[in-house]
Amino acid sequence: MTAQSGFRVSALPALRPAALGVCSVTALLCSLGMTSLACAEELQLDAVNIDANSQADISETEHSRTSYQARKASVATRTETPLVEVPQTVNVVTNRVIEDRQPNSLDEAINAVSGVKQGNTLGGTQDAIQKRGFGTNRDNSIMRDGMQSVQARNFTPTTERIEVLKGPASMLYGVQDPGGVINVVTKKPQLVDAHSISAFGTSFGGGGEQIDLTGPIGTNGLAYRVIADKQNYDYWRNFGSIDQSVIAPSLAWYGDDTTVSAAYEHMEYSVPFDRGTQINTKTGKVLDIPRTRRLDEPFNVTTGRSDSLDLRMDHRFNDTWTLRTGYAYSRNYYNDYQSRFISANYTTGAVTRRGDATRDAVQYAHTATVNMLGNLYWGDMRHEVLFGADYMKNYRELGDLYRSANKVDFNYNNPVYGATAQPSTVSAPNSDQTDHLRTHAFFVQDAIHLNDQWIFQAGLRYDAFDEMTGKGRPFVVGADVKDSKVVPRVGLVYLIQPDWSVYGSYTESFRPNTSIASPIGDLPPEEGKSYEIGTKFQNDAITATVALFNINKKNVQTSEPCGVNGSETCTRVSGEVRSRGLEADITGQLNEFWSVTGSYAYTDTKVLEDPILKGEPLDGVSKHTGAVYLTRDFGHVGAGDLRAGAGARFASRWGVNDGTGKEYYLPSSKVADAFVSYKMKLDERDLTLQLNLKNMFDEKYYTSASGLGSPAISIGEPRQLVARAKLEF
């Protein structure tokens, strides 16, 4: 929400891969002086300038603050390639959109992007985004500045903009689902002084405050940034609160040929562990109770702390070659308690619940990359070459797992809270849940500009992985897998005009199929294949994309009730699933007064092969989604500048399966939002006052589902008014 108020940043260069053909390899060796002098006679290489200080990226950051239009995104190719030249769908939520809409979570920030939707958030405690029907919490698809993140809450006060890459991204980032990846671009130090303080209040009760300071240190290219944010506001349901504090210092040095940066972020949080409402299995609809009524207990809370460290160094050797290196550390530690809904008597309203808890849970990831970017000519063709290596160590370990006995101690028609005790019984078979994943990879890619109109992109990535999972006291190994995979990526772009292109691409994905839950049979790796064709338009004001895609994924991991009376959850593979459809997006300025962000997606998902789920759609996917938001800049009115906007998003009905083949459907939804802001001078300082009205018509809608048996259904927030003030000095 208002954690995003008042940010200013200059983003550092992002990383990027490229693949080499035989000619490109020869050109590469000659350029580095690693072959004989005969190369000079055989090849004519002309240098193409690369700015090591990434002036293009700084310009894009400035553009992101003032416009709804995005022109470049590092997530698509690991360089700042213009979107019109990328043979895959890429969407960007700019800082201007974030400032205007004031989202309070990652899924809210990108809910106007086509083909994305909230996934299973583990009771609202973890980020989870479906992309083209694929994705859940902790699926490795969320990154910060192009590096793996395991933080529970990635949309933090340091967020500058958000990039969404659709389709398989394993060639770029390794172990991934084929739906795509989300890259949160963070705010960086500036060489120009910019200071702000801001505060907000919400109609739910409570609010927060923030300070953001950045500027130069001395005159030699060194800059700092410090962001501090504190939030405490009431949860919108009948009990609970959100508490979050963030401190994020960073330093950057911008030299003539070298850029070095170091950024750290620490967050402490306490949020409700709320799985939402439930499906009444007799009627096939959600329970007929007020949406504010919770079915758990006041001790349903997750408390945690997360840390991230990011170190980067870019160095330009000459006008042709640039070295880019990076290391990122990400960690999330948490504890939670919950009273968990197990079943209910839907005639009397009596609920069977179980006390659960997770203690001393920690997940951390080390990610490192080193690559060389070359921009050179061989003959009459320009090559954007990237080659390098990645390493990732991603470990998740849960300590004590509490499991209390099932009790009929609650009635959803007449709830009485506080009658059940907080769980305290350790379950030895469920404790010490462990998932250790390590990967190392080598990649090459080449974007070959065949002439002024044709661009051919090809890449290969060799990824070797080692993953071990298990649980219990004594510890039982569930899976121990070592394997490797070569993943290709090819694409072709034709520039009809410099600002209008058509493209086609083929990409693949993979991820190990291991699980802490007990496996049913073998778990071969998931593998995805995707075809995409589309067209893009990008001028000085508008960026627009239309794409058709087809993704097939085999060896899909799914859950199934097991154990005594289905009291446990086991894992198996469900054969093959498919997602195909059409997506359209437009962002930018219609004229000097009006800005727009809009999207539409048709997403058709289906389980193709499975003994139980064959023929069913994937959980949580609406066939039709759309959004349009319009903003009017009224210019100077009275003592200041007036800006206002409104819009709405739509999602058709979506289904969730109980694991036995029975499908439940949730209704369609239409949610509208509006804002107005007024910027004026206060003692020669800029003061911005803003009101955001979210869900203005108080639509009752549902966002995601989780669990087997009687599925738990997350509920969208009701109408909320947020008031915000920001002073820049």
Side-chain angles (χ1 to χ4, degrees), residues 693-705:
L693 183 60
K694 302 183 179 186
N695 193 1
M696 68 170 75
F697 301 118
D698 205 24
E699 173 88 350
K700 185 176 182 180
Y701 69 105
Y702 306 98
T703 56
S704 61

Side-chain angles (χ1 to χ4, degrees), residues 116-136:
V116 299
K117 185 178 178 292
Q118 184 186 101
N120 177 5
T121 63
L122 194 63
T125 67
Q126 297 273 340
D127 285 335
I129 306 294
Q130 287 185 334
K131 292 80 58 183
R132 292 181 171 174
F134 301 107
T136 185

Side-chain angles (χ1 to χ4, degrees), residues 390-629:
D390 289 342
Y391 171 79
M392 182 183 70
K393 178 181 178 180
N394 189 329
Y395 279 18
R396 177 159 56 99
E397 299 170 346
L398 312 184
D400 289 340
L401 273 291
Y402 295 177
R403 295 290 186 268
S404 300
N406 290 356
K407 291 184 178 180
V408 182
D409 58 359
F410 189 79
N411 191 296
Y412 62 73
N413 291 317
N414 185 26
V416 176
Y417 301 101
T420 187
Q422 186 171 284
S424 59
T425 303
V426 176
S427 171
N430 288 294
S431 294
D432 292 341
Q433 295 187 10
T434 301
D435 188 341
H436 289 177
L437 171 64
R438 290 181 297 176
T439 70
H440 62 269
F442 303 93
F443 56 87
V444 290
Q445 181 175 281
D446 194 1
I448 307 171
H449 295 250
L450 303 173
N451 54 35
D452 290 340
Q453 293 179 299
W454 289 97
I455 304 170
F456 175 68
Q457 185 182 84
L460 286 175
R461 181 187 184 96
Y462 168 79
D463 228 319
F465 63 87
D466 177 355
E467 185 166 20
M468 185 275 290
T469 62
K471 63 178 180 178
R473 297 173 181 165
F475 187 78
V476 177
V477 175
D480 191 354
V481 179
K482 295 181 181 180
D483 206 343
S484 61
K485 178 77 174 177
V486 175
V487 181
R489 181 194 197 201
V490 293
L492 187 64
V493 178
Y494 177 70
L495 293 168
I496 300 173
Q497 297 175 357
D499 56 8
W500 181 22
S501 69
V502 293
Y503 70 91
S505 65
Y506 170 77
T507 49
E508 294 185 5
S509 70
F510 86 100
R511 60 179 302 170
N513 240 342
T514 57
S515 174
I516 291 172
S518 300
I520 300 176
D522 295 330
L523 301 178
E526 290 185 351
E527 297 181 31
K529 297 181 179 181
S530 173
Y531 299 88
E532 180 176 329
I533 59 172
T535 183
K536 297 183 181 184
F537 176 80
Q538 179 184 323
N539 62 12
D540 291 337
I542 291 290
T543 297
T545 303
V546 178
L548 292 167
F549 68 90
N550 186 92
I551 303 174
N552 280 58
K553 184 169 78 163
K554 65 179 182 180
N555 303 327
V556 179
Q557 190 175 119
T558 188
S559 298
E560 182 177 309
C562 60
V564 179
N565 297 322
S567 59
E568 298 294 333
T569 299
C570 290
T571 296
R572 62 176 177 83
V573 295
S574 66
E576 186 174 0
V577 301
R578 182 202 65 211
S579 174
R580 64 186 180 188
L582 177 146
E583 294 171 348
D585 292 87
I586 182 171
T587 59
Q589 277 57 57
L590 299 176
N591 55 38
E592 60 179 313
F593 303 110
W594 288 97
S595 301
V596 64
T597 178
S599 67
Y600 168 76
Y602 170 79
T603 311
D604 179 27
T605 66
K606 188 176 183 180
V607 179
L608 301 178
E609 297 295 338
D610 185 79
I612 298 175
L613 304 176
K614 184 176 181 178
E616 300 290 350
L618 300 184
D619 282 356
V621 182
S622 295
K623 250 184 188 181
H624 301 275
T625 58
V628 61
Y629 290 87

Side-chain angles (χ1 to χ4, degrees), residues 641-660:
D641 297 325
L642 179 65
R643 183 177 176 85
R649 61 189 185 275
F650 165 79
S652 63
R653 72 169 192 161
W654 51 276
V656 57
N657 203 284
D658 67 356
T660 68

Side-chain angles (χ1 to χ4, degrees), residues 97-350:
V97 174
I98 291 172
E99 287 283 297
D100 286 347
R101 294 193 59 201
Q102 289 295 297
N104 66 357
S105 64
L106 185 60
D107 57 83
E108 185 184 354
I110 63 176
N111 62 20
V113 173
S114 67
V116 299
K117 185 178 178 292
Q118 184 186 101
N120 177 5
T121 63
L122 194 63
T125 67
Q126 297 273 340
D127 285 335
I129 306 294
Q130 287 185 334
K131 292 80 58 183
R132 292 181 171 174
F134 301 107
T136 185
N137 58 75
R138 296 184 291 213
D139 64 359
N140 298 330
S141 69
I142 298 176
M143 300 177 296
R144 290 167 64 87
D145 296 313
M147 305 285 263
Q148 187 70 222
S149 174
V150 299
Q151 293 181 222
R153 305 163 72 81
N154 289 278
F155 186 73
T156 76
T158 64
T159 300
E160 170 72 25
R161 63 185 184 270
I162 303 168
E163 302 172 342
V164 182
L165 172 63
K166 310 280 189 58
S170 287
M171 190 265 131
L172 293 171
Y173 302 108
V175 177
Q176 296 289 342
D177 254 344
V181 295
I182 312 293
N183 185 38
V184 177
V185 179
T186 63
K187 300 175 181 299
K188 306 298 190 300
Q190 295 182 24
L191 289 171
V192 177
D193 284 315
H195 309 140
S196 70
I197 57 173
S198 58
F200 77 92
T202 167
S203 58
F204 293 162
E209 51 279 332
Q210 180 190 113
I211 186 167
D212 183 358
L213 310 173
T214 187
I217 302 175
T219 60
N220 295 316
L222 184 64
Y224 78 95
R225 192 171 199 129
V226 177
I227 298 173
D229 181 270
K230 174 66 176 176
Q231 301 180 38
N232 175 250
Y233 57 94
D234 293 336
Y235 189 42
W236 67 271
R237 301 191 78 192
N238 54 331
F239 54 82
S241 65
I242 290 88
D243 298 276
Q244 177 181 292
S245 60
V246 173
I247 181 71
S250 57
L251 288 171
W253 177 66
Y254 304 98
D256 292 336
D257 296 311
T258 305
T259 298
V260 180
S261 66
Y264 172 71
E265 181 175 325
H266 175 76
M267 173 189 287
E268 296 187 5
Y269 62 91
S270 175
V271 297
F273 193 144
D274 179 17
R275 294 184 182 271
T277 188
Q278 293 282 328
I279 292 285
N280 181 331
T281 56
K282 292 181 65 176
T283 65
K285 300 179 180 180
V286 297
L287 296 179
D288 186 18
I289 58 176
R291 60 180 158 172
T292 58
R293 184 175 297 170
R294 292 183 61 172
L295 305 177
D296 46 38
E297 291 291 328
F299 59 69
N300 270 58
V301 174
T302 294
T303 58
R305 58 182 182 270
S306 63
D307 297 273
S308 66
L309 174 67
D310 188 278
L311 305 174
R312 303 291 173 109
M313 191 276 287
D314 294 358
H315 177 70
R316 184 182 65 177
F317 289 104
N318 51 45
D319 289 339
T320 303
W321 294 102
T322 296
L323 172 69
R324 293 180 170 178
T325 64
Y327 165 76
Y329 172 73
S330 178
R331 180 180 186 270
N332 183 51
Y333 171 87
Y334 69 92
N335 293 281
D336 66 47
Y337 288 102
Q338 63 168 314
S339 180
R340 185 169 188 164
F341 185 104
I342 301 298
S343 63
N345 183 321
Y346 296 106
T347 301
T348 65

